Amino acid sequence: MSFAAEPSPPTQTEKCPKQTSKVTILDYGTEPRQQLRFTPVVGDKQTIKLKIMMGTNTSEDQQSRSNDFNYNIEITVDTTVKKIESNGDIHLSYIYSGITASMSNSNTSARDISSNLAQVIASGATLIIAPQGNVKKTYDYIFPEKVSPELKQIMMNESLNYFNQFSSPLPSQAVGVGAKWKINQIIPMMYILSKPNQTIIYELKVKERQDNVLNLGITLEQQIDTQEYKNSSNNSTSVQITTTTTQGNGQATINLNQMLPIISTAFLESKTIMETRLSKMNEVRLNHYNWSLKITIESQ
């Protein structure tokens, strides 16, 4: 989950900024081919459970890896199809109905994360989603009084980007079993200056025509350009991210009559090399930051 706070929050009627993304066909697959579109009906409801498990590790040892998941978050989201436009665009409302989080450490940061997540319950909005599955706009935000202004700003700025990361956009062209398509998008993130370039490749493994069900294979890669930034509270310290690579794979089962996956799983691993320069001591420290992430989405 990547959040980026903007200098000032948009109004509730303002369109959220779109991600830079492009769908490219790599293989059209075998005959018969057809256009794939999401076709829910007004009133359709789904409840999804999003489970996120993350492990992190920082060391000066290049071989050190993160094997334990020390962050565990489970989010329940209720959705309803509110409207279908003549061009096929779908208006999907969502609301966070439950969130639980556990961390293996009990430091202040972990407690802050849990507190912020608890505020999200009963928040929501409405998405406009193209029939190919990409999110176009978010509007009609709902926030209970307990949500802090800072968290409200983040949710309003990033709801479109957040849902786009968990959607499975389909190509506009007709495709068959064995088809592959690539999606390039730029992901805004708070903890770095540059924006990661993310590439996702989907492969249509099986299509069950009668039930309109697709089985997709997923591979993902993310890269961040070399960048440097200084500690705002200590100008004598600078950090340069020299290398960041993220790779992952997963699979998804999708019913085109519903907006959200029946089940989707993904596992990602990321490795970052950072140089910390302490100018007063004329010292350079090389750190390896690794994290692993397992995501499961199930719907009812």
Side-chain angles (χ1 to χ4, degrees):
M1 296 172 7
S2 58
F3 292 134
E6 299 293 333
S8 59
T11 63
Q12 290 201 14
T13 58
E14 185 177 349
K15 183 183 294 186
C16 291
K18 293 183 179 180
Q19 288 179 327
T20 302
S21 61
K22 182 180 180 181
V23 179
T24 304
I25 290 285
L26 303 177
D27 189 327
Y28 286 91
T30 60
E31 296 284 0
R33 299 178 182 138
Q34 68 178 85
Q35 288 185 323
L36 305 177
R37 299 290 183 271
F38 288 98
T39 56
V41 298
V42 173
D44 279 355
K45 297 179 182 292
Q46 278 183 277
T47 296
I48 66 168
K49 288 190 179 295
L50 171 63
K51 298 179 182 179
I52 302 170
M53 302 171 65
M54 186 171 70
T56 61
N57 176 273
T58 303
S59 73
E60 297 181 5
D61 179 6
Q62 186 174 3
Q63 302 303 318
S64 180
R65 299 182 62 182
S66 171
N67 296 317
D68 298 326
F69 292 107
N70 44 23
Y71 291 80
N72 294 278
I73 301 171
E74 184 171 319
I75 303 173
T76 303
V77 185
D78 298 324
T79 68
T80 304
V81 177
K82 306 294 288 186
K83 177 183 177 181
I84 307 292
E85 296 186 14
S86 58
N87 64 354
D89 283 355
I90 301 134
H91 293 241
L92 182 75
S93 67
Y94 70 88
I95 190 165
Y96 295 100
S97 58
I99 295 178
T100 59
S102 62
M103 288 79 174
S104 60
N105 56 345
S106 57
N107 58 30
T108 302
S109 176
R111 290 195 298 271
D112 288 346
I113 293 172
S114 298
S115 176
N116 285 337
L117 288 172
Q119 293 183 54
V120 172
I121 295 176
S123 299
T126 299
L127 307 168
I128 299 179
I129 307 174
Q132 290 91 354
N134 54 301
V135 183
K136 300 170 67 175
K137 184 180 177 181
T138 310
Y139 68 98
D140 279 357
Y141 297 92
I142 301 171
F143 297 110
E145 293 182 0
K146 62 185 177 182
V147 176
S148 67
E150 294 80 11
L151 184 58
K152 185 183 297 186
Q153 175 182 325
I154 291 173
M155 293 176 66
M156 291 177 67
N157 288 341
E158 285 304 304
S159 58
L160 181 145
N161 294 326
Y162 173 71
F163 274 89
N164 256 328
Q165 291 180 60
F166 290 101
S167 65
S168 300
L170 304 171
S172 58
Q173 302 92 332
V175 294
V177 173
K180 293 182 180 180
W181 57 95
K182 178 176 67 174
I183 297 172
N184 292 323
Q185 57 188 2
I186 295 176
I187 305 293
M189 302 183 81
M190 181 177 65
Y191 64 90
I192 55 174
L193 301 178
S194 184
K195 298 178 180 180
N197 292 299
Q198 178 171 269
T199 300
I200 306 176
I201 296 177
Y202 293 92
E203 180 179 0
L204 180 56
K205 299 285 189 178
V206 178
K207 182 178 186 304
E208 302 175 17
R209 279 193 158 194
Q210 185 175 0
D211 296 325
N212 232 7
V213 172
L214 310 179
N215 289 328
L216 303 176
I218 303 169
T219 57
L220 179 147
E221 182 174 314
Q222 211 177 76
Q223 287 195 330
I224 300 173
D225 295 334
T226 298
Q227 59 197 275
E228 183 175 359
Y229 60 95
K230 293 185 179 294
N231 188 330
S232 58
S233 61
N234 184 1
N235 291 328
S236 64
T237 302
S238 66
V239 177
Q240 179 171 305
I241 299 176
T242 59
T243 306
T244 296
T245 57
T246 302
Q247 294 181 325
N249 60 76
Q251 56 187 5
T253 301
I254 297 171
N255 186 336
L256 293 177
N257 298 326
Q258 299 176 314
M259 285 310 305
L260 301 168
I262 298 171
I263 186 168
S264 177
T265 59
F267 179 78
L268 299 87
E269 284 190 312
S270 179
K271 298 181 179 181
T272 298
I273 300 176
M274 295 180 291
E275 290 184 0
T276 302
R277 298 180 179 273
L278 308 174
S279 57
K280 287 185 177 180
M281 302 173 62
N282 196 25
E283 180 182 353
V284 177
R285 296 176 182 173
L286 189 65
N287 288 315
H288 296 263
Y289 176 75
N290 303 320
W291 62 258
S292 54
L293 184 69
K294 182 178 182 180
I295 301 172
T296 303
I297 300 174
E298 295 180 339
S299 69
Q300 300 175 351

